[in-house]
Amino acid sequence: MLRRSLENRDAQTRQLQDAVTNVEKHFGELCQIFAAYVRKTARLRDKADLLVNEINVYASTETPKLKQGLKTFADEFAKLQDYRQAEVERLEAKVVEPLKAYGTIVKMKRAETELQRATMDAARTTRHLEETIDSFEKQKIKDIKAHFSVPSACWPTLQTIFSEFITIEMLFHGKALEVYTAAYQNIQKIDEEEDLEVFRNSLYPPDYSSRLDIVRANSKSPLQRSLSAKYPPVD
């Protein structure tokens, strides 16, 4: 009987250790990848800020309607980067940090298992290990489901983490759709014909025709001027 209890205890201890090792491995990978995702999102925000600055610089050199359209687009795009910054901060707080916390939790569970093996009798250890395994598995599954909605009393569940991730991304992309729609509509309002007229006027100032006539008159030979005076053009 004692031998069977010891065998059960050892088997359950190994099972818990395997579960802890499995979580330690995969949660570590998830944490690294999510962290890289957040860093790349932050870099995209930085590049977008550079794009906004360059659009504003270029717009200042253009004709009025195009200038207005570009600056309005730049303003909308800059607003989107504010939403992206909020996305980065929320992902860091709601996804990456909770995953990092699992490292501490895993170490605690591993130490708890070793302590149980060393100090408790076979019957009590077996019963406690059953409870520990059951609790660990329930928490892990709940965490996965929630990570992609309600945290546990002890630490955010994986369910919570994934739920937060999805919610944050949905919120950002919803705002992005609103901003891009407004930006598109403003770009479509640019009056190309009016800007073209402005450009043409800049090439030919108002007194251009009168000055052109003077140049033409001065370029005539004395004979041409004499003939023009004697025989003015007939309407």
Side-chain angles (χ1 to χ4, degrees), residues 2-14 126:
L2 178 59
R3 181 178 179 182
R4 187 178 301 122
S5 295
L6 290 172
E7 289 175 350
N8 289 339
R9 183 198 64 183
D10 290 340
Q12 289 174 336
T13 300
R14 285 193 299 272
T126 299

Side-chain angles (χ1 to χ4, degrees), residues 155-178:
W155 70 85
T157 62
L158 194 58
Q159 181 187 33
T160 303
I161 298 173
F162 278 94
S163 293
E164 290 285 2
F165 174 77
I166 293 172
T167 301
I168 292 167
E169 291 298 282
M170 288 176 63
L171 178 62
F172 169 75
H173 288 289
K175 290 295 185 182
L177 182 59
E178 293 177 11

Side-chain angles (χ1 to χ4, degrees), residues 22-221:
N22 186 61
V23 169
E24 186 176 24
K25 173 186 175 182
H26 292 291
F27 277 42
E29 290 293 331
L30 284 171
C31 185
Q32 290 182 19
I33 295 172
F34 272 122
Y37 180 93
V38 174
R39 289 194 299 272
K40 288 188 176 182
T41 302
R43 286 199 291 271
L44 179 59
R45 173 209 59 210
D46 293 341
K47 292 297 182 183
D49 288 340
L50 293 176
L51 181 58
V52 168
N53 291 336
E54 181 57 30
I55 291 173
N56 277 318
V57 171
Y58 168 56
S60 65
T61 69
E62 274 296 348
T63 47
K65 291 297 182 180
L66 181 55
K67 176 180 180 179
Q68 180 183 353
L70 289 173
K71 283 190 171 294
T72 302
F73 171 80
D75 290 343
E76 294 291 346
F77 200 56
K79 184 191 300 180
L80 180 61
Q81 305 323 308
D82 293 338
Y83 290 129
R84 201 184 301 276
Q85 175 63 26
E87 175 196 17
V88 168
E89 293 174 357
R90 289 168 182 162
L91 288 173
E92 185 68 32
K94 301 292 187 179
V95 177
V96 177
E97 288 303 320
L99 281 172
K100 287 180 180 178
Y102 268 89
T104 302
I105 295 167
V106 167
K107 290 177 182 178
M108 291 171 58
K109 289 295 181 183
R110 192 183 299 282
E112 182 181 344
T113 303
E114 295 299 329
L115 182 61
Q116 289 167 4
R117 168 183 275 182
T119 63
M120 298 176 67
D121 61 73
R124 290 173 60 202
T125 300
T126 299
R127 184 171 63 254
H128 194 77
L129 280 171
E130 289 174 350
E131 294 172 355
T132 301
I133 291 171
D134 187 64
S135 174
F136 186 77
E137 286 298 308
K138 283 182 179 179
Q139 190 64 51
K140 179 188 71 176
I141 294 170
K142 186 178 182 182
D143 290 354
I144 291 173
K145 185 179 177 183
H147 188 67
F148 278 114
S149 287
V150 178
S152 70
C154 297
W155 70 85
T157 62
L158 194 58
Q159 181 187 33
T160 303
I161 298 173
F162 278 94
S163 293
E164 290 285 2
F165 174 77
I166 293 172
T167 301
I168 292 167
E169 291 298 282
M170 288 176 63
L171 178 62
F172 169 75
H173 288 289
K175 290 295 185 182
L177 182 59
E178 293 177 11
V179 171
Y180 279 128
T181 299
Y184 178 83
Q185 292 172 344
N186 284 316
I187 287 295
Q188 297 308 306
K189 291 178 182 178
I190 295 175
D191 191 329
E192 298 176 7
E193 291 301 322
E194 184 173 337
D195 270 1
L196 183 58
E197 185 65 25
V198 170
F199 177 72
R200 287 169 177 166
N201 290 337
S202 70
L203 293 177
Y204 308 108
D207 61 342
Y208 175 77
S209 297
S210 59
R211 286 192 286 112
L212 183 61
D213 291 340
I214 294 173
V215 171
R216 286 173 178 169
N218 291 335
S219 65
K220 292 180 180 179
S221 65

